[in-house]
Amino acid sequence: MDDNPNMCEFRKAGLPIYFLVGGPGSGKATQAARLQCKLGYTVINIGKLLRDEVCSGSGNAKLNHTLDTGELAPQDVAMKLLKEALLKSLCARKPILIIGFPRNVCQLQAFEKEISQAKGTFYLDASDCTLKNRQKFRGRADDKLETIEKKLHIFRKQTRPMIEQMINTGRISRIDGEKPTDEVFAELYKALQSQSSCVQANAGCNERENEPGLRAKPVPSPCGPTVASPCGQPVPSPCGQPKRPSGGACGQPPVPPPRRNTCDQPSRDCGR
């Protein structure tokens, strides 16, 4: 863990953190903005943090180059900006939704080691062709054809393996990102509400665990194997613990593997 006194204060606050991940063009920012309006969550967009850092004239030539070419930003820079944003979020005292991070297993491990483990991760799953087509028409300055191809290559090589690892440990909820925006939002909102209920149930249980007269009782859990509940009530097991490989996050249905088709394979978004 990061020994910075400020980060210690952040961890003491116990604000739940959620990740929203997906390929470039999967709609992460769009859905996060809607969740922020509906639930009041603090949204931290790592892509925006990096672009703002370049625009601030920080003089970080390497960061400027990575954004221009579609490569991943240096991990130390991304972590520094995330920590600063997390500390600013303390005033709001709201759950935190981080979008566009982590991008690979190393980033996930660094976050969990230096900050904390996320309470839930949500994956907007869309085909490569859908991702490519959406980027072509969203009008961002860094959405040049060669940059789009580079981003998709990195997503396939680094982010998908991380997602598959999280699927195998039951730590991710898959959302069908191919659906219309409103349907994606409804599915994401439902999954987040389910995950939040699981977190709140465990938090309430933890608050009472030291009360006299309460004995741990084994109870069935939708999150995985039977766990002991110090509250003596049926509550979900901690969402951060490994669950059955075939199961989804926090009692969600089993998560299918990520879409892998490229534009050389049939897809309804490839014009075939």
Side-chain angles (χ1 to χ4, degrees):
M1 287 288 184
D2 191 329
D3 292 329
N4 183 310
N6 291 327
M7 290 311 300
C8 290
E9 286 300 314
F10 175 82
R11 285 190 290 273
K12 287 179 183 177
L15 300 179
I17 297 174
Y18 302 95
F19 291 140
L20 180 59
V21 300
S26 59
K28 299 183 294 293
T30 299
Q31 298 299 336
R34 296 185 67 171
L35 286 172
Q36 186 176 35
C37 289
K38 191 171 183 68
L39 298 173
Y41 282 19
T42 297
V43 172
I44 298 177
N45 184 336
I46 185 61
K48 185 177 186 304
L49 291 179
L50 293 167
R51 290 190 292 272
D52 289 347
E53 180 73 2
V54 170
C55 292
S56 70
S58 62
N60 193 325
K62 186 176 181 181
L63 177 58
N64 198 5
H65 174 74
T66 59
L67 293 183
D68 282 343
T69 58
E71 297 177 3
L72 290 184
Q75 183 169 299
D76 59 336
V77 176
M79 288 294 294
K80 174 180 176 292
L81 294 175
L82 270 176
K83 289 176 182 178
E84 291 173 355
L86 288 170
L87 290 174
K88 290 178 182 177
S89 73
L90 271 175
C91 295
R93 298 282 170 173
K94 299 286 187 180
I96 299 164
L97 182 65
I98 298 177
I99 67 173
F101 188 96
R103 298 288 181 92
N104 56 36
V105 173
C106 289
Q107 289 186 353
L108 175 62
Q109 291 175 344
F111 189 92
E112 293 181 344
K113 179 181 179 181
E114 299 179 31
I115 301 174
S116 72
Q117 183 169 314
K119 300 300 183 184
T121 301
F122 306 92
Y123 168 45
L124 298 183
D125 189 9
S127 69
D128 289 357
C129 279
T130 295
L131 299 176
K132 181 182 290 187
N133 290 337
R134 287 177 180 173
Q135 289 178 87
K136 286 179 181 177
F137 301 107
R138 67 182 179 181
R140 243 173 48 187
D142 58 335
D143 284 338
K144 298 170 285 191
L145 183 59
E146 59 271 23
T147 307
I148 290 173
E149 293 289 354
K150 181 72 173 180
K151 288 178 180 178
L152 285 173
H153 175 76
I154 291 174
F155 176 71
R156 287 192 291 265
K157 295 297 182 182
Q158 297 196 43
T159 310
R160 274 198 178 129
M162 178 198 72
I163 290 170
E164 289 173 350
Q165 177 178 303
M166 297 180 82
I167 287 174
N168 290 335
T169 55
R171 296 178 57 191
I172 200 164
S173 296
R174 176 188 171 274
I175 309 299
D176 188 350
E178 298 277 348
K179 293 180 178 179
T181 303
D182 288 345
E183 293 182 29
V184 174
F185 177 75
E187 190 175 338
L188 177 59
Y189 177 78
K190 181 179 179 181
L192 183 57
Q193 288 291 84
S194 174
Q195 192 77 33
S196 299
S197 298
C198 182
V199 171
Q200 290 168 4
N202 285 293
C205 197
N206 290 337
E207 288 174 1
R208 298 183 58 204
E209 65 181 341
N210 293 321
E211 289 184 23
L214 290 176
R215 278 194 317 183
K217 301 177 182 178
V219 294
S221 166
C223 292
T226 299
V227 295
S229 166
C231 297
Q233 300 170 354
V235 297
S237 65
C239 303
Q241 293 183 355
K243 307 174 186 70
R244 293 185 294 266
S246 60
C250 236
Q252 297 296 313
V255 182
R259 289 184 173 88
R260 287 185 171 277
N261 67 290
T262 65
C263 287
D264 295 326
Q265 298 173 323
S267 167
R268 66 186 183 189
D269 296 294
C270 293
R272 294 180 174 84

